[in-house]
Amino acid sequence: MQLPKQFYYKNNRLQQLRGFYYAVQTGSISKAASKVGLSQSAITLQIQSLERDLKTKLFERNKKKIGITEAGKILYISSTPYVQGIDDLFKSFINNADEKELNTINIAANHVSISYILPKYIKKFKETNSQSKFRIKNLAKDEAIKRLLVDEIDFFIYPIHKNEIPPELDFIPIVTYQPILLTRNDHPLAKETTINLSDVKKYELVRIDPKFITLPGFEEIIKSHGLQTSIEFEMADWEILKKFVNSNIGVASSNYFKYYP
């Protein structure tokens, strides 16, 4: 038998052979279609085009079932290692890709946590898990909670009160905050040894966007004590606040981090 010069079913020999192979293996066109995720008519067309290209009959057909011919048996035996090899190749690729994805840790955090807290922990983690990959998202706290609840991230790092945490989530403290006040060296408050909020109330307060604030409850403090603020940054960091304070545009609140062991 001469080799056919061209296979006409979408010029895809593997497609033809897979349809034929699984039809023989399952003994059914419908089961073969289900196996490869195609319609029964698509499998039938694949087999018909294969028979036409090979100029030989591969199946004996009747209304109840299909029966393989001698030529069909020879093709089935010959094609088995190739079809299985290709299918195993894709399974192996998917498994390896899934394994690689399993090594990816998805984290949400605000700007300050990303800049000042995460580097220490990621460095320590990578010392014993060098193959791990980190995907870090700069999100607002509410958005991070939503994504964690639907498993789009693995964990988030935010300043948060325990009563803000949904019951489905666990909370592990890793950092405490000691609030500090940023002023110029020649500012009146810089000379004071003890400062309370009534002292701060006399001056303009420069703030970071409340969605990204790092001091828990800071918004409540501002509202309850009537602190004045007309400058509010979105997606800023403490270095920007320092620039404004140094330019004698108000004072600012920052934090000192104390890490848990």
Side-chain angles (χ1 to χ4, degrees):
M1 180 184 298
Q2 287 185 330
L3 287 174
K5 293 182 179 179
Q6 185 177 1
F7 282 76
Y8 292 99
Y9 185 79
K10 298 181 181 180
N11 295 322
N12 193 331
R13 300 188 187 188
L14 178 61
Q15 189 87 329
Q16 292 173 313
L17 285 174
R18 289 187 82 242
F20 163 77
Y21 171 83
Y22 284 111
V24 175
Q25 187 186 69
T26 62
S28 164
I29 296 294
S30 61
K31 289 179 181 178
S34 177
K35 187 82 174 176
V36 299
L38 296 174
S39 65
Q40 293 186 45
S41 59
I43 298 297
T44 299
L45 285 173
Q46 289 175 358
I47 293 172
Q48 288 175 348
S49 68
L50 189 58
E51 289 179 322
R52 184 168 57 250
D53 292 339
L54 294 173
K55 296 182 173 59
T56 188
K57 201 170 189 180
L58 301 173
F59 288 104
E60 298 288 352
R61 299 171 178 82
N62 59 45
K63 293 182 179 179
K64 294 183 179 180
K65 62 179 182 178
I66 59 173
I68 191 168
T69 64
E70 288 301 317
K73 290 178 183 178
I74 294 172
L75 181 61
Y76 177 74
I77 293 171
S78 301
S79 64
T80 294
Y82 298 102
V83 176
Q84 288 184 346
I86 290 295
D87 285 355
D88 289 345
L89 183 151
F90 285 114
K91 288 177 183 176
S92 176
F93 170 77
I94 292 170
N95 289 337
N96 288 334
D98 287 344
E99 184 178 347
K100 186 174 182 180
E101 187 63 25
L102 287 174
N103 288 332
T104 299
I105 301 172
N106 293 282
I107 306 171
N110 59 7
H111 182 86
V112 173
S113 297
I114 293 172
S115 300
Y116 300 103
I117 299 175
L118 272 178
K120 171 184 175 178
Y121 289 101
I122 288 179
K123 182 178 185 300
K124 186 173 181 180
F125 185 85
K126 287 185 73 67
E127 288 174 358
T128 54
N129 301 271
S130 59
Q131 300 303 313
S132 295
K133 174 183 176 182
F134 292 88
R135 188 177 293 126
I136 301 170
K137 304 175 188 297
N138 188 344
L139 301 175
K141 180 171 58 181
D142 291 343
E143 179 64 20
I145 291 174
K146 290 178 184 178
R147 296 201 187 189
L148 185 57
L149 286 171
V150 295
D151 291 330
E152 289 186 7
I153 58 175
D154 297 306
F155 64 88
F156 63 75
I157 299 178
Y158 283 87
I160 193 168
H161 286 295
K162 288 186 178 180
N163 58 9
E164 295 181 79
I165 305 168
E168 301 95 324
L169 304 180
D170 289 328
F171 170 71
I172 302 172
I174 60 171
V175 174
T176 57
Y177 294 90
Q178 178 63 47
I180 61 174
L181 185 68
L182 299 177
T183 71
R184 282 171 52 106
N185 290 333
D186 58 357
H187 193 278
L189 291 179
K191 301 180 177 66
E192 302 292 335
T193 56
T194 302
I195 301 173
N196 56 43
L197 288 173
S198 61
D199 298 320
V200 178
K201 186 178 178 179
K202 301 174 185 176
Y203 303 95
E204 177 78 16
L205 185 67
V206 184
R207 300 163 57 212
I208 286 182
D209 184 346
K211 291 182 180 179
F212 295 89
I213 200 70
T214 59
L215 184 61
F218 191 56
E219 286 302 298
E220 286 74 13
I221 293 172
I222 287 178
K223 292 175 183 177
S224 64
H225 288 81
L227 298 177
Q228 298 178 359
T229 176
S230 63
I231 299 175
E232 182 179 291
F233 290 100
E234 182 176 347
M235 300 292 288
D237 58 30
W238 301 118
E239 295 303 319
I240 292 176
L241 294 189
K242 290 176 184 178
K243 295 291 185 182
F244 270 69
V245 170
N246 192 47
S247 298
N248 206 19
I249 307 175
V251 297
S253 175
S254 183
N255 305 289
Y256 170 74
F257 301 136
K258 180 180 179 182
Y259 293 91
Y260 280 75

